[in-house]
Amino acid sequence: MSTIIIWILAAVGIAQAVLATRAYRLEKREGLARSGRRFAATTAIAVALVGLGVVATLRGRGGSTETPVAEAPKHHSADEQKQVDALKKEVAELADKLGAKQAELDKLDPQPKVVVATEVPEPSPWPLLVAVALVVLGFAMLSLGDLETLLPKRRKKGDEPAAASPDPADPDKPRDEPATLPVLTGHATAGRWKAALAVAHRIQIEQLHKLERLDYLYLRAYCGASSIAAPEDGKPIGSVERDKALALATSDLDRLLELAPNMAEARWLAGYVKALAGTWQVALDTMRTARPELGTVREFDRDESVCLLALAEDRLAAADNDGATRLFDEVTKLGVLHNQIPVAMVTHRILTVRGHIKAGKFTEAADGIARIRQVEGLDDAAARASAAACDVYDVAIQYRSGQLERALEANQAFFKRWQPADLPPVEDQVADEYLLPAIDKDALPLPADLYRGLYFLEAVVRVDLASRAGKPLTGDVVDQIATALLRALQFQPRHRESLAALAALYLAYRKDRSEKAIAWLDAALVMGVRSAKAHQLLVEARRAEVERKELLAMFRSAAARFLSDPAVGVQVRAALIEELGRFDEFRPVVLDLQDSGALDAPPIAEVTLAGMRERAAFVGGVAGEIIRRGDHAAAENLSVLQRELVSLTSNVETSSTRIALLERQVMEQLGRIVLR
């Protein structure tokens, strides 16, 4: 019975060892801290219990009565057979005599028969006690490791990860869904980082099993890193949002590695996040610690190569060419991004050129541009980008060094080489509100912002060159500047600086479009132009526009009164209408006079002196008011004419008085002569 109990206890010990072994393998697979002592102790206890069972079984068999097994008869010779037969006969006779003697003894002294049997000793209890102790010790050993890995939570039926279905009306918006780990996994698998993070923030991590917490932390960190490296809409996220995503991913990975320090995928992802943060050496070291367990994967080679290229650029920036070469050799050995080595060299040299330009070292910057043009091994796209960058920096070097004529020539050379063909015509409507640019950005060989910036720079250079002469801009220069600004707006509609510059140009040199220019300047200020001069210019322009409208109303009224005066000669009226009728703002006056029939009224035959004086005083008064409130530089000729008109009107008054006096004196003299 004790043997059976020992074997039952041995089965319990084996079950303990199986649980510990499965937990150890699970911890190894998931990267958790491994319960090695529990695994070794339970395995040893199971082996000991099995050994006790074997010992107990053998001891039980040794104490039992065994029935001898008759051997097969042996073949004897004739002499040997005679001896055997004689001995058997003798034994039989002796047995008969013994039986007779025993019968006589029983008659004389009858006694109960004593059966002599072989005594079987009781088995020792120590194997059973040891087995019980070992089983109890086995249960104690199970508590040495993580108890959650002994009996991991099984996934319920229907909880398998599946891609969450989006809303058919809005594919970017998922359906209403529970905040569960399978839903989070589905979004992460489908690349919907925002939806995955939204679900992750709704999950209560405290309610998850330990293994589920590992998956949760890894998925949330992975989605956060992917939202930075590969945004869903293709547009880089803002710096604030990027910092938050990096901080959350780093926190999740730190917590994950505390739970599962041997999880190679988590260590690699931690290195990837550090690379996104720009700590290239730490990122590379972290990735390489996880690499032996991950094996050879092309994507991992690429991530390492990115870090190596960035470190090589840092070495180049520190003038450590040997260190950069060693890192480039490692990239070549990996064989993934080795074609980016020339790109890294170009990038480093461009950064060096930018540093020289900022430091005012224009000769060194020009030499750097020459070295960039000498880099070989670039593919077509990289070679095109490098050539364009060199052309742009040529313009920047000439402009920053004060060589405006050369800057303008370099700018025009850039457009000759890179400007797209068949650009739409330049019109003022380009500056109005547009939802889309007039030029297809996808068809451009270079970014649209670059074209806009260089066209704006052309306008600035032309203004600077013209300002050196100290004279107002000529009509041709104004047209060239306006064309450059309108081209800039074709590539980037409603660009605030370009719009404000165009408005200022029109307010200064194209008065007939001042109303539209004021609207452009107002829009530019609303969009964020912070120039105090722009604000002041808008205030002055609005004030001038109000005065202009008041003066226009005054002139229209005066013109209507003058032209409707029948004392004005027909030729004077016709000449005035022909001269002013070409202006759009004067045409309503002509139309009103035509409708009223004032222009068809015949002139009066006689013009009185009083009527002439009254009309001259009216016209001179209107001219004086316009001169007082208008632009004095533009009204210089009007002022001369107004002064002459006032002078002649005064002469008419003096002449009429003198004539009357002379008439009286003549009449008096005539009377004296005649009457004498």
Side-chain angles (χ1 to χ4, degrees):
M1 185 64 181
S2 63
T3 303
I4 297 175
I5 296 175
I6 291 174
W7 279 111
I8 293 174
L9 294 176
V12 174
I14 293 173
Q16 293 173 346
V18 170
L19 286 176
T21 303
R22 187 177 67 172
Y24 181 81
R25 294 177 62 186
L26 178 64
E27 291 164 351
K28 182 179 180 181
R29 185 178 70 249
E30 298 295 335
L32 297 168
R34 299 169 190 173
S35 304
R37 290 187 298 173
R38 178 175 64 186
F39 167 70
T42 53
T43 302
I45 290 173
V47 171
L49 286 170
V50 171
L52 284 175
V54 172
V55 170
T57 301
L58 293 177
R59 286 172 58 86
R61 288 183 178 181
S64 61
T65 302
E66 294 183 359
T67 303
V69 179
E71 296 181 357
K74 183 179 180 181
H75 296 284
H76 303 286
S77 61
D79 295 336
E80 291 177 344
Q81 187 63 37
K82 289 180 180 180
Q83 291 179 357
V84 170
D85 294 339
L87 291 173
K88 287 182 178 180
K89 183 177 179 181
E90 185 176 355
V91 168
E93 291 176 353
L94 291 174
D96 292 338
K97 290 180 180 180
L98 178 61
K101 295 295 183 181
Q102 184 65 40
E104 292 178 1
L105 179 62
D106 291 339
K107 288 181 180 180
L108 296 175
D109 186 14
Q111 294 291 336
K113 295 181 179 180
V114 178
V115 178
V116 179
T118 304
E119 182 177 355
V120 179
E122 289 292 332
S124 175
W126 69 265
L128 181 60
L129 296 177
V130 171
V132 172
L134 288 176
V135 170
V136 173
L137 181 62
F139 282 112
M141 291 297 103
L142 290 178
S143 63
L144 291 178
D146 190 349
L147 296 179
E148 288 186 282
T149 59
L150 282 176
L151 298 172
K153 182 180 179 181
R154 293 182 178 273
R155 183 178 284 119
K156 296 181 180 179
K157 188 176 182 180
D159 282 353
E160 293 79 7
S165 57
D167 190 345
D170 185 0
D172 294 332
K173 179 182 179 181
R175 297 178 184 272
D176 293 336
E177 51 197 1
T180 60
L181 193 60
V183 173
L184 170 59
T185 306
H187 284 306
T189 304
R192 293 189 290 269
W193 319 125
K194 294 180 181 179
L197 291 172
V199 172
H201 290 316
R202 291 163 45 207
I203 294 177
Q204 300 294 328
I205 189 173
E206 294 79 8
Q207 299 178 0
L208 299 177
H209 186 268
K210 183 172 186 176
L211 298 180
E212 292 177 332
R213 289 199 296 272
L214 300 182
D215 294 340
Y216 169 81
L217 291 171
Y218 182 84
L219 287 172
R220 191 166 74 167
Y222 176 79
C223 292
S226 300
S227 67
I228 299 172
E232 296 176 57
D233 53 5
K235 298 179 180 179
I237 63 177
S239 59
V240 175
E241 188 177 355
R242 177 188 177 90
D243 293 341
K244 289 182 179 179
L246 283 175
L248 179 61
T250 302
S251 175
D252 286 341
L253 289 170
D254 289 343
R255 188 174 178 183
L256 174 58
L257 290 172
E258 288 180 2
L259 296 173
N262 300 317
M263 187 176 181
E265 293 82 358
R267 295 204 306 273
W268 184 271
L269 184 58
Y272 188 84
V273 171
K274 289 179 173 63
L276 291 176
T279 54
W280 303 109
Q281 187 61 57
V282 178
L284 182 63
D285 295 340
T286 305
M287 290 178 181
R288 286 181 169 175
T289 58
R291 192 62 187 271
E293 300 180 38
L294 297 175
T296 302
V297 181
R298 207 64 173 168
E299 288 75 10
F300 297 158
D301 290 338
R302 181 185 181 280
D303 294 340
E304 282 193 26
S305 298
V306 170
C307 295
L308 290 169
L309 288 172
L311 290 171
E313 291 181 13
D314 293 341
R315 295 288 190 278
L316 289 174
D320 183 6
N321 294 328
D322 294 337
T325 301
R326 288 193 296 271
L327 293 171
F328 285 144
D329 290 341
E330 292 188 43
V331 175
T332 303
K333 185 177 180 180
L334 290 173
V336 178
L337 296 179
H338 58 281
N339 58 342
Q340 295 297 314
I341 294 176
V343 176
M345 296 176 65
V346 169
T347 302
H348 162 67
R349 293 180 181 178
I350 286 178
L351 293 175
T352 303
V353 168
R354 291 177 60 182
H356 288 327
I357 293 175
K358 291 181 179 179
K361 301 177 181 179
F362 303 113
T363 302
E364 291 83 351
D367 293 340
I369 292 296
R371 287 195 298 272
I372 292 173
R373 295 186 188 276
Q374 295 172 357
V375 175
E376 298 179 354
L378 297 170
D379 57 23
D380 293 340
R384 184 168 55 253
S386 176
C390 290
D391 291 343
V392 171
Y393 280 107
D394 275 338
V395 177
I397 291 170
Q398 301 300 335
Y399 178 73
R400 291 291 299 274
S401 62
Q403 303 294 327
L404 298 184
E405 293 84 356
R406 293 183 180 178
L408 186 58
E409 292 175 0
N411 203 42
Q412 291 173 343
F414 172 87
F415 286 128
K416 184 178 180 180
R417 184 175 181 182
W418 300 103
Q419 179 174 273
D422 301 328
L423 289 179
V426 172
E427 299 176 349
D428 287 351
Q429 287 78 6
V430 174
D432 294 331
E433 190 72 44
Y434 282 100
L435 297 177
L436 297 174
I439 297 171
D440 184 10
K441 291 185 177 181
D442 296 333
L444 295 176
L446 298 174
D449 292 348
L450 181 60
Y451 289 103
R452 186 268 306 160
L454 290 177
Y455 273 117
F456 186 81
L457 179 64
E458 178 184 343
V460 172
V461 171
R462 290 188 182 278
V463 171
D464 288 345
L465 287 172
S467 65
R468 291 182 177 182
K471 297 180 180 180
L473 303 180
T474 63
D476 293 340
V477 175
V478 170
D479 291 340
Q480 292 172 347
I481 296 172
T483 299
L485 292 173
L486 289 171
R487 285 289 186 203
L489 290 169
Q490 283 182 334
F491 286 93
Q492 187 173 353
R494 307 298 282 179
H495 180 252
R496 59 191 186 188
E497 282 76 18
S498 301
L499 199 61
L502 183 65
L505 181 69
Y506 276 25
L507 287 173
Y509 292 97
R510 293 184 176 177
K511 299 292 186 181
D512 57 326
R513 306 181 196 179
S514 59
E515 186 173 355
K516 182 176 289 189
I518 290 174
W520 294 341
L521 185 57
D522 186 27
L525 291 171
V526 170
M527 287 187 291
V529 172
R530 298 182 179 180
S531 172
K533 291 183 178 180
H535 283 274
Q536 183 179 359
L537 180 60
L538 179 62
V539 172
E540 292 294 329
R542 283 177 171 170
R543 182 192 59 77
E545 184 67 14
V546 170
E547 284 195 356
R548 192 188 72 84
K549 289 182 178 180
E550 291 178 354
L551 294 175
L552 178 62
M554 184 186 304
F555 173 73
R556 283 175 173 175
S557 176
R561 179 177 174 182
F562 181 81
L563 292 174
S564 62
D565 188 350
V568 176
V570 176
Q571 294 180 348
V572 174
R573 187 183 302 173
L576 188 60
I577 291 176
E578 182 180 358
E579 176 66 22
L580 299 180
R582 60 190 178 90
F583 295 100
D584 293 337
E585 293 177 331
F586 188 74
R587 290 174 185 173
V589 176
V590 178
L591 294 175
D592 290 342
L593 292 174
Q594 289 176 346
D595 293 340
S596 64
L599 296 179
D600 299 329
I604 59 177
E606 297 181 357
V607 178
T608 64
L609 186 60
M612 182 182 295
R613 288 199 306 268
E614 182 181 354
R615 188 173 64 251
F618 167 71
V619 173
V622 173
E625 181 66 18
I626 290 179
I627 292 171
R628 184 181 65 82
R629 300 177 59 180
D631 186 353
H632 294 281
E636 183 177 352
N637 293 333
L638 177 62
S639 179
V640 173
L641 294 174
Q642 190 260 355
R643 287 196 299 269
E644 185 177 358
L645 177 62
V646 172
S647 177
L648 290 176
T649 304
S650 300
N651 290 338
V652 169
E653 286 285 346
T654 304
S655 298
S656 63
T657 304
R658 182 64 176 166
I659 289 172
L661 178 60
L662 290 174
E663 287 176 344
R664 183 177 63 80
Q665 290 178 350
V666 168
M667 291 302 293
E668 288 178 354
Q669 291 297 324
L670 287 174
R672 290 188 187 129
I673 294 171
V674 173
L675 295 175
R676 186 182 62 172

